[in-house]
Amino acid sequence: MAEEVPSASYIPYVHSQTLTSHAHALSSLKFSSDGRLLASASGDQTIRTYAINLKGDPIAEAAQVFTGHESGISDVAFSTDARFIASASDDKTVKLWDVESGSLIKTLQGHTNYVFCVNFNPQSNMIASGSFDETVRIWDVTTGKCLKVLPAHSDPVTAVDFNRDGSLIVSSSYDGLCRIWDSGTGHCVKTLMDDENPPVSFVRFSPNGKFILVGTLDNTLRLWNISSAKYIKTYTGHANSQYSVSSAFSVTNGKRIVSGSEDNCVYMWELNSRKLLQKLEGHTEPVMSVACHPTENLIASGSLDKSIRIWAQKK
Amino acid sequence: MNAPIIDPLQGDFPEVIEEYLEHGVIKCVAFNHRGSLLAAGCADGSCVIWDFETRGIAKVLRDNDCAAAITSVSWSKYGHRLLVSAADKSLTLWDVSTGDKIARTTLQQTPLHARLNPGLSSPSLCLACPLSSAPMIVDFEIGCTTLLPVCVPEMPDVLAPPQRSKCAESGPPFSPAAACFNKCGDLVYVGNAKGEILIVDYKSVRVLALVPVSGGSAVKNIVFSRDGKYLLTNSHDRIIRIYENLLPAKDVLRSLEDLGKNVDGVDGVEKMKTVGSKCLTLFREFQDLVTKMHWKAPCFSGDGEWVVGGSACKGEHKIYIWDRAGHLVKILEGPKEALIDLAWHPVHPVIVSVSLTGLVYIWAKDYTENWSAFAPDFKELEENEEYVEREDEFDLMPETGKVKVSSVNEDEEVDIETVEKDAFSDSDMSVEELRYLPAEPIPDTNEEQDELKLIEARISASPASEEAVQNGHVTDLVSSPQGEMGETRGKRKRKPSEKAMELQAEKAKASKASGRTVREKSRAVGDQEIDESVNGGGDDDDDAYY
């Protein structure tokens, strides 16, 4: 099933840089929407940002370190204008940081268990966070107040994401369900589930908000159509049965799905044909998180081996 | 936007008060083009802009020169500018994103309504309707005001621009008139005291057409629907009339000129009327036959399907909703505070009403939980259905096993990038709309951070010790954070029922200490209901006595 079928026009990615600034496993990586910064969150209780210089060598240079959390961090997210970063941590809080200065602005209290995932809405006036306490909370960025508590799932919430106009939130959980919520009212709009419900480890909206990419702990990635509530694509070949491995859409050079894997590689499939295009090898431990640069053909991957690897297309 | 997913069967008008917003004494409200921001003018001369999604204050526009009550607020089409008219006869134009004053003029009389030209992206041209004289066009750039004709003189020569003195002779003195721009902003529709609608080209200051309103009573309000297809007039005879706009959306001036040329044989006022009959036709009339009340702030819903009018008779707060066919579908009744202004959200079935006490009430649909959204194979039944089991239902090996149909054609092309054109972008996309004001997080102060650490430590503690500890420790920290939080956080409360809210407000203010602990406790538990937390506060008081 997992043959490497390189099509004639496919230019493979090659390893460009390795960053080893963290002292503990990497949990999450995100590029800012203007592509100038990369943020990484780690179990060493810090978040780090790197400036991305596409013409430079090395491409990524360390910029800031954010300290203040009292426990490991599971997720990090940029606001749309890249002025703020939100981080979700095992100390049950979400913290809001200023990107330029690295200082802590606000602490959002309310969750009663580890906060696992966090994301800004496109307008960046609200933050959604999912936690081991089985709820999703929506916070007001200006005041830090919790606007809504969604009784989302019956197991830890593993991922939250907003769609492109910020009107919908998708949440996934180990209970095997993906739920779609109206972000304004907090009401559940839809639940997506199949006959077998393997724990869902990751979910995100497609760029146009019509589809969601769902990663489940049965080594499968699926693309679901929200309105028909059925999945239309399946991607296999990688290993994902233990960790919350993240995946991403790559649209800068043909439509692709990129995902981390527990066999230490980064997998890339073609979206429509589902063919495996490339396996990026180099990490020595499971790859937990991947991020695709918004405009350039650049992929960043973070792994349990405490390193971040940057992959660029061969010139 | 999410139309395909959300249930279309739910009716499109609000039913209950969801929340209220407070910031000083509010006098008037206006939504921006998309309904993401709500601007409100206060009695102290400042203007507050709420982020309607988070219901938090996004900006406060304060002019130190102006301390008079605001009479109206109006957004520019793309939301970059806000026009504010105040009781000290001034008109101020603000830049919303920077919060700076762009221009300010003073008129002869206090403008009751002022509207920015909806056709221009950065308008500096506006229409102001003063209390006791003709409506005028104010141009901020050139700095001049042009009076608009309120009546058609009974003379053949209609082309001469009427001056102020002329109007004073032919029309009744102090004739208030209502006026509004049409959708593309090149015509002004004036409703005068004689009960006529005049279509005026404000650039050449000419009356192009005239439509007499049946009944001939003074027109108090005149409003277009959002798509420009319907016009609403509210007259002194307590009837709301809906007219259908027959003119095309674009190139209106040319069509009017053509209509004027095609009319032969008549001249002067008759010609105006003939042209007018081709511009507007009466569609419906609404009135309350029982109480015959005066309507306040009538307007259309965002999609033009509903018409809403407010009533402030006898100090009540009632909102009447009709469908466009003329049937009264709902009467919303609010608390016993007279209604002074009303606005319908451009997109959602939400109404915002302002009461005499200065509170802004938000009306929304009463939500009934949709259980099939939580479990897709859960069917909600209207009534009990008797279940008849199959022959082989209880067989150990049923004949027809469940056949898993995986008829998914995974080879189909999937498009993850194209986005459909937004139904609400009824304009060219060349100008970027200001939909949101960037959120500026208010930094936690050191005291707040210490307090939060205390709370955090207590989250794991048992409830009994929690209360005792809270009473002891938090009392010290009450004074300063309380003050700060009161200012920085705009007041928001949920589901007020008049008496209950008054009681809660008293309790919270009187016993600051318990009110404070209660708020922290409620946050720790993650509970939003104020009802419960106030009752919890009562228990705290008891503990303190031991």
Side-chain angles (χ1 to χ4, degrees), chain A residues 148-288:
Chain A
K148 294 206 170 48
V149 182
L150 310 180
H153 291 279
S154 49
D155 266 325
V157 180
T158 48
V160 277
D161 192 25
F162 279 94
N163 66 344
R164 63 182 300 278
D165 63 8
S167 55
L168 296 177
I169 294 174
V170 66
S171 66
S172 67
S173 161
Y174 283 149
D175 64 3
L177 306 175
C178 291
R179 288 208 160 113
I180 306 208
W181 310 83
D182 178 314
S183 58
T185 56
H187 300 143
C188 180
V189 169
K190 211 158 199 157
T191 302
L192 299 167
M193 65 184 210
D194 203 11
D195 279 345
E196 298 121 28
N197 324 7
V200 182
S201 57
F202 186 74
V203 77
R204 78 186 304 157
F205 274 105
S206 67
N208 63 1
K210 292 199 203 150
F211 305 96
I212 48 172
L213 183 63
V214 179
T216 44
L217 291 184
D218 60 351
N219 311 307
T220 317
L221 270 168
R222 288 194 179 86
L223 190 69
W224 285 72
N225 179 327
I226 297 177
S227 29
S228 71
K230 293 205 177 341
Y231 62 88
I232 43 178
K233 299 276 179 200
T234 316
Y235 307 92
T236 51
H238 62 300
N240 184 9
S241 55
Q242 279 187 300
Y243 298 106
S244 232
V245 170
S246 73
S247 42
F249 288 95
S250 163
V251 294
T252 47
N253 182 18
K255 303 206 205 327
R256 302 185 184 149
I257 304 279
V258 182
S259 170
S261 165
E262 286 154 14
D263 63 3
N264 313 350
C265 303
V266 175
Y267 281 70
M268 189 178 333
W269 296 267
E270 216 209 302
L271 185 120
N272 276 307
S273 68
R274 290 126 43 221
K275 284 207 197 69
L276 180 64
L277 290 172
Q278 199 180 355
K279 255 167 75 164
L280 303 170
E281 294 169 23
H283 281 292
T284 53
E285 290 223 32
V287 177
M288 298 294 292

Side-chain angles (χ1 to χ4, degrees), chain B residues 2 50 60 100 262 313 331 389 400 413 447 517 546:
Chain B
N2 2 317
W50 273 289
V60 178
D100 296 329
N262 291 339
C313 283
I331 301 178
E389 62 257 19
T400 50
E413 286 282 312
E447 286 155 340
T517 52
Y546 291 113

Side-chain angles (χ1 to χ4, degrees), chain B residues 406-419:
Chain B
S406 65
S407 54
V408 183
N409 177 14
E410 290 218 357
D411 290 325
E412 263 181 63
E413 286 282 312
V414 168
D415 182 4
I416 57 164
E417 281 198 291
T418 25
V419 184

